[in-house]
């Protein structure tokens, strides 16, 4: 039995993780649930799963939750970063589902690894900004990290059977390159001029996936694929030039690996995040899953094209950011988090997300091999700069 700490339990990944727990009640026990502020949903989850500990990051919501569950005994309630860190390193659980959104996940994920927890990681922003610190930590603390992001799960699944050391590779000599697929999002084929007028509702209409708001906007700008290149780089120990992005509008091939002998092995399936979550939780086992099966006769055509670097400038920028490394991926990511939040509040237009990222990245003096403090400081400085615009 696995004892789970689900960080981000009220989100898209968090709730799908809990569906898997419902499907396999004998395999999982939920020990920790952590959220930002959605206490109404959290209360339902608490009453159903009876965790030992819960954390509500925002203090006002934390006080509200305490009132809501006053009739329940034996549940410890925490708040703030202190609360997240106390939960992340608590001995009551063994597997963290890292499903918070944004680089707020860095410190709790690190705390979990230090405490020897296994991590099922959806929270890509943590690897984008601190992958160079996280990956060596897994070795140091003798623990494992399994990708939940569907493309990275597909790559990981494609690597099974190779003589390779554990779930995350130091760079396998047999990998020639990674073929990272992207749907292209709702604005594939559109021009920047057209995109200027697109609203929040337009950008949230993803053709294939139902996800949280932030990652859905990231898919519309294609920044998500930029972040995923950086995530893949750390997870699989490859060089930036070994990652090729393919636009594949059907989202059936979830990514593939080309090997040195020319073989290309990929993973296909209907777009459904439950599979990569379940694979990360049961690895190396494959288990029954009730989901729509892939009918290749019905899909009929699988289409691939090159990404449009002109109309998706923030995606085009990502490769240089990845190559430069150091604090630059943090600036790219922090500027994106800030700009997406502003766009969702309707304070800026869609194409201004890319403009803000570009401005923040171009003025930054890169610090190489940053420690955690430098990463968090860089995030703060990026946000302070963007606030002056
Ligand atoms: P959602 O916005 O749906 O959910 C985010 C979750 O994180 C919520 O439970 C939220 O709580 C919680 N949260 C946010 N801030 C904090 C905080 N400071 N402390 C504690 N909890 C916090 O996001 P998604 O589920 O879509 O995405 C989660 C991560 O997974 C992201 O990094 C995303 O890129 C990645 N991912 C998601 C995929 C998907 O299909 N959704 C696919 C691949 C990757 P509250 O509800 O209270 O706000
Ligand atoms: Mg993905």
């Amino acid at each position: 039995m696995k004892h789970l700490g689900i960080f981000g339990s009220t989100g898209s990944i968090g709730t799908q993780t809990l569906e898997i727990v419902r499907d396999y009640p004998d395999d999982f026990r939920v020990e920790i649930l952590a959220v930002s502020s959605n206490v109404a949903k959290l209360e339902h989850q608490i009453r159903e799963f009876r965790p030992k500990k819960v954390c509500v990051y925002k203090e006002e919501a934390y006080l509200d939750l305490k009132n809501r569950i006053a009739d329940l005994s034996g549940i410890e309630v925490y708040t703030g970063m202190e609360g997240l860190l106390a939960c992340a390193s608590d001995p009551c659980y063994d597997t963290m589902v890292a499903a918070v959104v944004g680089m707020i996940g860095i410190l709790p994920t690190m705390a979990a690894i230090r405490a020897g927890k296994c991590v099922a990681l959806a929270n890509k922003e943590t690897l984008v900004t601190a992958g160079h610190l996280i990956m060596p930590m897994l070795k140091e603390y003798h623990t494992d990290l399994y990708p939940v992001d569907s493309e990275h799960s597909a790559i990981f699944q494609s690597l099974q059977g190779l003589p390779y050391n554990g779930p995350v590779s130091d760079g396998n000599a047999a990998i020639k390159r990674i073929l990272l697929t992207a749907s292209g999002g709702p604005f594939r084929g559109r021009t920047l001029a057209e995109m200027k007028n697109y609203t929040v509702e337009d950008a949230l209409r993803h053709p294939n996936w139902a996800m949280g708001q932030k990652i859905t906007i990231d898919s519309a700008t294609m920044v998500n694929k930029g972040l995923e290149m950086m995530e893949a780089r750390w997870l699989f120990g490859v060089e930036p030039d070994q990652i090729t992005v393919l636009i594949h509008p059907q989202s059936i091939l979830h990514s593939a690996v080309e090997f040195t002998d020319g073989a290309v092995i990929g993973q296909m399936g209907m777009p459904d995040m439950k599979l990569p979550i379940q694979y990360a939780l049961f690895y190396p086992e494959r288990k029954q899953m009730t989901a729509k099966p892939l009918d290749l006769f019905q899909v009929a055509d699988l289409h691939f094209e090159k990404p449009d670097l002109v109309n998706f400038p923030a995606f085009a920028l990502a490769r240089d950011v990845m190559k430069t490394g150091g604090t630059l991926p943090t600036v790219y990511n922090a500027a994106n988090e800030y700009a997406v939040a502003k766009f969702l509040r309707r304070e800026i237009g869609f194409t201004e997300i890319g403009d803000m990222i570009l401005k923040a990245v171009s003025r930054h003096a890169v610090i190489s091999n940053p420690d955690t403090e430098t990463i968090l400081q860089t995030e703060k400085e990026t946000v302070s700069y963007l606030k002056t615009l």
Side-chain angles (χ1 to χ4, degrees):
M1 167 164 299
K2 285 205 163 126
H3 298 265
L4 301 181
I6 306 176
F7 290 72
S9 66
T10 46
S12 163
I13 296 291
T15 49
Q16 292 179 87
T17 303
L18 289 170
E19 282 175 30
I20 294 166
V21 172
R22 278 190 205 103
D23 291 344
Y24 289 96
D26 297 337
D27 291 284
F28 302 109
R29 157 106 187 97
V30 176
E31 308 290 4
I32 297 173
L33 294 172
V35 308
S36 173
S37 64
N38 188 348
V39 288
K41 195 158 178 178
L42 178 62
E43 183 188 349
H44 283 291
Q45 295 181 343
I46 292 172
R47 292 189 186 277
E48 180 178 355
F49 294 99
R50 298 297 168 116
K52 289 198 181 70
K53 292 166 194 265
V54 296
C55 182
V56 181
Y57 184 78
K58 295 208 171 138
E59 198 177 343
E60 229 171 82
Y62 152 82
L63 296 172
D64 183 6
L65 183 84
K66 283 194 113 174
N67 286 329
R68 283 169 181 264
I69 60 164
D71 61 311
L72 301 179
S73 60
I75 300 177
E76 288 174 40
V77 189
Y78 298 79
T79 187
M81 183 49 79
E82 235 172 78
L84 282 179
L85 296 180
C87 288
S89 49
D90 196 277
C92 75
Y93 84 113
D94 52 48
T95 303
M96 168 185 263
V97 178
V100 300
V101 58
M103 55 187 290
I104 189 89
I106 295 177
L107 292 176
T109 306
M110 285 181 166
I113 295 170
R114 280 197 195 94
K117 313 296 181 189
C118 173
V119 181
L121 185 108
N123 176 225
K124 66 189 83 183
E125 297 90 345
T126 284
L127 275 189
V128 166
T129 53
H132 62 291
L133 301 175
I134 301 261
M135 299 314 288
M137 280 177 73
L138 296 169
K139 286 229 162 63
E140 190 181 343
Y141 294 96
H142 306 286
T143 188
D144 291 326
L145 183 147
Y146 301 100
V148 167
D149 209 345
S150 58
E151 295 78 1
H152 305 74
S153 175
I155 295 161
F156 180 44
Q157 292 179 57
S158 305
L159 290 170
Q160 297 309 308
L162 280 186
Y164 108 124
N165 191 14
V168 270
S169 164
D170 284 331
N172 194 301
I175 301 177
K176 189 167 169 202
R177 61 179 175 144
I178 282 173
L179 303 174
L180 188 70
T181 55
S183 70
F187 303 151
R188 182 175 67 93
R190 311 291 168 82
T191 64
L192 260 181
E194 287 173 312
M195 286 183 229
K196 269 207 165 78
N197 303 317
Y198 288 155
T199 62
V200 171
E201 288 69 28
D202 295 328
L204 285 177
R205 220 170 282 133
H206 196 283
N208 304 342
W209 296 94
M211 310 178 284
Q213 290 200 334
K214 190 259 178 185
I215 185 176
T216 307
I217 302 301
D218 291 353
S219 302
T221 55
M222 289 221 24
V223 165
N224 183 50
K225 215 45 59 177
L227 298 176
E228 288 186 354
M229 289 199 291
M230 301 183 217
E231 183 186 13
R233 181 231 179 129
W234 296 122
L235 274 173
F236 305 108
V238 294
E239 293 302 320
D241 285 334
Q242 285 177 284
I243 304 172
T244 302
V245 172
L246 292 83
I247 303 295
H248 167 48
Q250 293 85 3
S251 298
I252 296 294
L253 176 67
H254 296 305
S255 281
V257 179
E258 182 180 333
F259 293 94
T260 41
D261 60 1
V264 174
I265 300 182
Q267 183 250 324
M268 294 200 285
M270 294 301 287
D272 185 344
M273 283 309 296
K274 266 179 87 177
L275 172 65
I277 302 170
Q278 186 169 299
Y279 191 74
L281 291 178
F282 280 116
Y283 177 82
E285 276 184 80
R286 285 196 182 273
K287 294 271 196 175
Q288 177 75 30
M289 199 180 101
T290 39
K292 199 170 168 204
L294 172 61
D295 180 348
L296 282 173
F297 292 116
Q298 200 182 350
V299 175
D301 288 317
L302 295 180
H303 176 79
F304 299 94
E305 63 193 36
K306 288 196 170 153
D308 174 352
L309 299 179
V310 175
N311 292 299
F312 294 89
F315 167 71
L317 183 66
R319 190 167 288 278
D320 286 339
V321 169
M322 168 169 60
K323 283 186 174 171
T324 306
T327 43
L328 208 54
T330 296
V331 174
Y332 181 88
N333 179 76
N336 180 56
E337 286 189 27
Y338 177 79
V340 170
K342 257 182 118 54
F343 173 67
L344 285 169
R345 292 196 302 268
R346 294 157 209 272
E347 291 167 10
I348 58 169
F350 179 74
T351 52
E352 282 172 89
I353 299 172
D355 296 344
M356 280 190 161
I357 299 174
L358 200 66
K359 279 184 189 152
V361 163
S362 12
R363 69 181 279 284
H364 180 67
V366 179
I367 303 166
S368 56
N369 201 22
D371 58 15
T372 313
E373 209 176 299
T374 309
I375 292 169
L376 298 178
Q377 188 56 35
T378 302
E379 179 193 23
K380 269 197 197 136
E381 283 168 14
T382 304
V383 170
S384 309
Y385 160 69
L386 290 173
K387 281 186 174 162
T388 65
L389 293 182

